[in-house]
Amino acid sequence: MADSMISAFESSLDKTNIILKDIEDAYGWPKERRNQSYAALRTVLHLLRDRLPVNESVEFAQQLPVLVRGIYFDGWVPSDVPIKLNRDDFLYEVRQGFPYDAEGGPERVTQVVLDTLRRHVTQGEWQDVKDTMPRDLAVMMP
């Protein structure tokens, strides 16, 4: 039992590192900038989570690696969602939550993280998430 739990944790850690590496690769960042890829992932995940209705948020999270799911739900207050955010509001909040300078600013940070997340969930679930977004925000989603 303990071996399977360790294996599940290691698998989640490996999948999380792949997601972070995907973000780094999109920017050409070395692994030493892992704090930046983590901050980008966390910021966009939290904004996406807070924009989604509770049920859709939970369905989306079920497809994330356990470690990323923990990041996703960290600090979540389900009674406070969904928060109405249009594209400009979303990008403003990314700028506030991501304390690093990155090429392309908050729009590129958002695009890179959304592109990365899209590759790690099913097409059907991604479409469900996209369908809940306002049109101006949905057009940013792959």
Side-chain angles (χ1 to χ4, degrees):
M1 178 81 144
D3 287 342
S4 66
M5 292 174 83
I6 290 171
S7 177
F9 178 78
E10 288 173 351
S11 174
S12 179
L13 183 59
D14 290 344
K15 290 174 184 176
T16 301
N17 280 323
I18 289 169
I19 290 170
L20 294 171
K21 185 173 182 332
D22 286 351
I23 294 167
E24 292 158 3
D25 287 349
Y27 272 105
W29 292 342
K31 187 177 181 180
E32 292 75 35
R33 293 179 75 177
R34 181 62 44 105
N35 284 342
Q36 287 179 307
S37 57
Y38 169 76
L41 177 64
R42 180 182 173 87
T43 299
V44 174
L45 273 175
H46 283 187
L47 290 167
L48 191 62
R49 171 202 73 193
D50 291 346
R51 181 62 185 87
L52 292 170
V54 171
N55 288 343
E56 187 56 44
S57 189
V58 171
E59 289 173 12
F60 173 71
Q62 289 173 335
Q63 295 198 5
L64 300 172
V66 171
L67 186 55
V68 176
R69 198 176 315 147
I71 296 165
Y72 182 81
F73 283 124
D74 184 43
W76 190 43
V77 182
S79 61
D80 292 348
V81 300
I83 296 171
K84 302 288 185 196
L85 295 171
N86 62 29
R87 180 184 180 279
D88 291 339
D89 296 335
F90 196 96
L91 294 175
Y92 174 82
E93 294 298 331
V94 169
R95 188 177 312 110
Q96 299 307 306
F98 183 73
Y100 303 96
D101 288 329
E103 182 182 328
E107 187 165 351
R108 175 95 170 107
V109 169
T110 300
Q111 193 65 59
V112 165
V113 173
L114 292 175
D115 287 347
T116 299
L117 290 172
R118 167 57 203 104
R119 291 191 302 273
H120 294 276
V121 299
T122 65
Q123 176 64 36
E125 184 54 43
W126 191 254
Q127 191 60 51
D128 289 348
V129 168
K130 194 172 175 178
D131 288 346
T132 67
M133 295 293 138
R135 184 171 296 160
D136 66 339
L137 191 51
V139 298
M140 292 182 64
M141 300 179 74

